[in-house]
């Protein structure tokens, strides 16, 4: 019989050491995208606060315009009544008083029309500001919901940088005409 040949001893396979570098990169990317989302959210919140202040200012202007219209109406009516009494008392100045009366009536009508136009304009601005504030809030909420859904839908190891960038880009493109940071 032949003697068994001895083979060279087989070295055991050593497991490779994991450096953890992929986890550190993923953590850094996640931290940076989270920071970017927070900054964008704060900017959107500031814009919403500004819109609320504009709405309050427009409401004040609208109230002031309404009061101004009422004050002009009462003052002009009183002048018209006074002129009517003067006309009945003094027949000589009848033509002069009639002209003043027509002028005051014309001014009253003009002031009333201007006040009504101003009131309509302020109401339209108020409505537009409220709508813009609501849209800004909706965009900020949509972005926040998108980020939350993205992180909730997959383990953190499966979220890629491209997915995060795509989410922020889509939200930014949709909301850019509504929310502008100036």
């Amino acid at each position: 019989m032949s003697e068994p040949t001895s083979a060279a001893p087989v070295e055991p396979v050593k497991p490779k050491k994991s450096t953890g570098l992929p986890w550190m990169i993923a953590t850094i990317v996640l931290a940076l995208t989270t920071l970017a989302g927070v900054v964008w959210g704060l900017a959107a919140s500031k814009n919403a606060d500004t819109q609320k202040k504009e709405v309050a200012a427009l409401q004040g202007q609208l109230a002031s315009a309404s009061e101004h219209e009422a004050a002009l109406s009462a003052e002009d009516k009183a002048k018209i009544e006074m002129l009517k009494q003067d006309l009945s008392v003094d027949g000589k100045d009848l033509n002069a008083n009639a002209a003043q009366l027509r002028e005051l009536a014309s001014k009253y009508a003009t002031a009333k029309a201007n006040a009504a136009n101003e009131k309509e304009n302020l109401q339209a601005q108020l409505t537009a500001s409220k709508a813009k504030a609501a849209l800004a809030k909706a965009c900020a909420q949509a972005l926040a919901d998108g980020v939350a859904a993205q992180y909730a839908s997959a383990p953190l190891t499966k979220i890629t940088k491209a997915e995060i960038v795509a989410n922020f880009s889509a939200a930014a493109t949709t909301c850019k005409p509504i929310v502008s940071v100036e």
Side-chain angles (χ1 to χ4, degrees):
M1 287 210 126
S2 68
E3 287 185 29
T5 58
S6 77
V10 178
E11 291 185 30
V13 177
K14 294 181 182 175
K16 292 182 181 178
K17 284 189 176 179
S18 173
T19 61
L21 184 61
W23 282 102
M24 286 194 294
I25 291 172
T27 303
I28 289 170
V29 168
L30 181 62
L32 289 175
T33 55
T34 302
L35 182 62
V38 168
V39 168
W40 188 88
L42 289 174
S45 175
K46 180 181 177 186
N47 192 22
D49 291 342
T50 302
Q51 292 296 326
K52 286 179 184 177
K53 289 177 185 175
E54 287 178 8
V55 166
L58 289 173
Q59 285 175 335
Q61 289 177 359
L62 183 60
S64 174
S66 296
E67 291 171 6
H68 183 63
E69 177 187 5
L72 283 178
S73 299
E75 181 181 331
D76 287 342
K77 285 180 182 178
K79 286 182 181 179
I80 290 171
E81 286 302 317
M82 189 169 57
L83 286 174
K84 283 181 182 179
Q85 290 174 358
D86 286 345
L87 284 174
S88 66
V89 172
D90 191 5
K92 272 185 177 179
D93 298 325
L94 185 59
N95 290 333
N97 287 341
Q100 287 179 340
L101 183 60
R102 283 189 297 273
E103 181 182 334
L104 284 174
S106 174
K107 285 182 181 179
Y108 171 74
T110 302
K112 187 174 182 178
N114 288 342
N117 287 339
E118 184 178 346
K119 183 177 180 179
E120 288 175 11
N121 289 341
L122 290 173
Q123 188 66 40
Q125 288 177 357
L126 175 63
T127 302
S129 292
K130 284 181 179 179
K132 189 172 182 181
L135 287 172
K137 181 180 177 183
C139 277
Q141 186 63 47
L143 177 62
D145 291 345
V147 170
Q150 189 174 31
Y151 289 125
S153 69
L156 289 179
T157 58
K158 292 192 177 186
I159 298 175
T160 67
K161 179 180 177 183
E163 290 171 328
I164 294 169
V165 169
N167 187 10
F168 277 106
S169 295
T173 302
T174 303
C175 294
K176 187 174 184 178
I178 299 165
V179 180
S180 61
V181 179
E182 298 178 82

